[in-house]
Amino acid sequence: SETEQFAEYYPILKKRNAIDYLFQAFNTNNTGYVSLEGFITGLSVLSSGTLQQKAEMIFRAFDLNNDGFVSREELAKSLRKSIRGSIIVLKREHPDISPEELMKITGRMDELSV
C-alpha cells in the first residue's frame, strides 16, 4: 500500500516518538487535531523551510503543553525521547556497535551538531 511505501521511505515515522513530535509541531491551532493547513505547512517546512521555520517547528514540538514556553521538564522529556530515538537508529544502522562505542557517539552528539 502507499502507506507502507511511505513508511519504508521514511522509517523514522514508524517510531511513536517521531509521530508525537510531528503531531505536536503540525497541530498549530492547538485543537488536538492537525488541520489540512497545518499538515501542508508542516510538510513544506520539513522539506524546504528556512532555518527559522524549522527552529520554530522544533520549538512547537518541544512545547508539550502549548503555552509558548519550553519548561525544564518539557526540555528534559523531549531530549530523552530524542536521544532514545537516535540510539535506536544507530543500533539499527550499525547492529555490531558496542555499548562503549554507542556511549561515545551519543556523548558527543552536541559536538557533532551544527
Side-chain angles (χ1 to χ4, degrees):
S1 76
E2 288 179 8
T3 302
E4 290 168 343
Q5 289 175 342
F6 189 77
E8 287 303 314
Y9 190 69
Y10 297 104
I12 192 68
L13 295 180
K14 293 179 183 177
K15 298 297 175 199
R16 178 160 173 73
N17 290 346
I19 298 300
D20 291 344
Y21 281 125
L22 287 176
F23 183 84
Q24 183 71 17
F26 286 16
N27 181 27
T28 56
N29 53 9
N30 301 323
T31 60
Y33 299 95
V34 175
S35 67
L36 177 60
E37 181 181 343
F39 181 73
I40 292 170
T41 301
L43 289 179
S44 176
V45 168
L46 283 176
S47 64
S48 59
T50 65
L51 181 60
Q52 176 72 30
Q53 290 170 317
K54 290 177 182 181
E56 289 170 0
M57 180 175 279
I58 291 168
F59 182 86
R60 281 195 310 274
F62 279 39
D63 181 15
L64 302 176
N65 64 1
N66 299 310
D67 66 356
F69 300 93
V70 175
S71 70
R72 181 181 180 92
E73 292 78 22
E74 288 171 320
L75 182 62
K77 182 176 183 178
S78 296
L79 290 176
R80 278 193 301 271
K81 280 183 170 182
S82 297
I83 291 169
R84 267 187 249 127
S86 298
I87 290 170
I88 290 167
V89 170
L90 278 169
K91 284 181 176 179
R92 182 180 304 122
E93 291 180 5
H94 305 282
D96 297 332
I97 194 167
S98 70
E100 295 79 19
E101 189 64 23
L102 190 59
M103 290 300 291
K104 259 195 248 178
I105 292 169
T106 55
R108 292 187 51 224
M109 280 183 175
D110 0 333
E111 296 172 26
L112 301 173
S113 305
V114 177

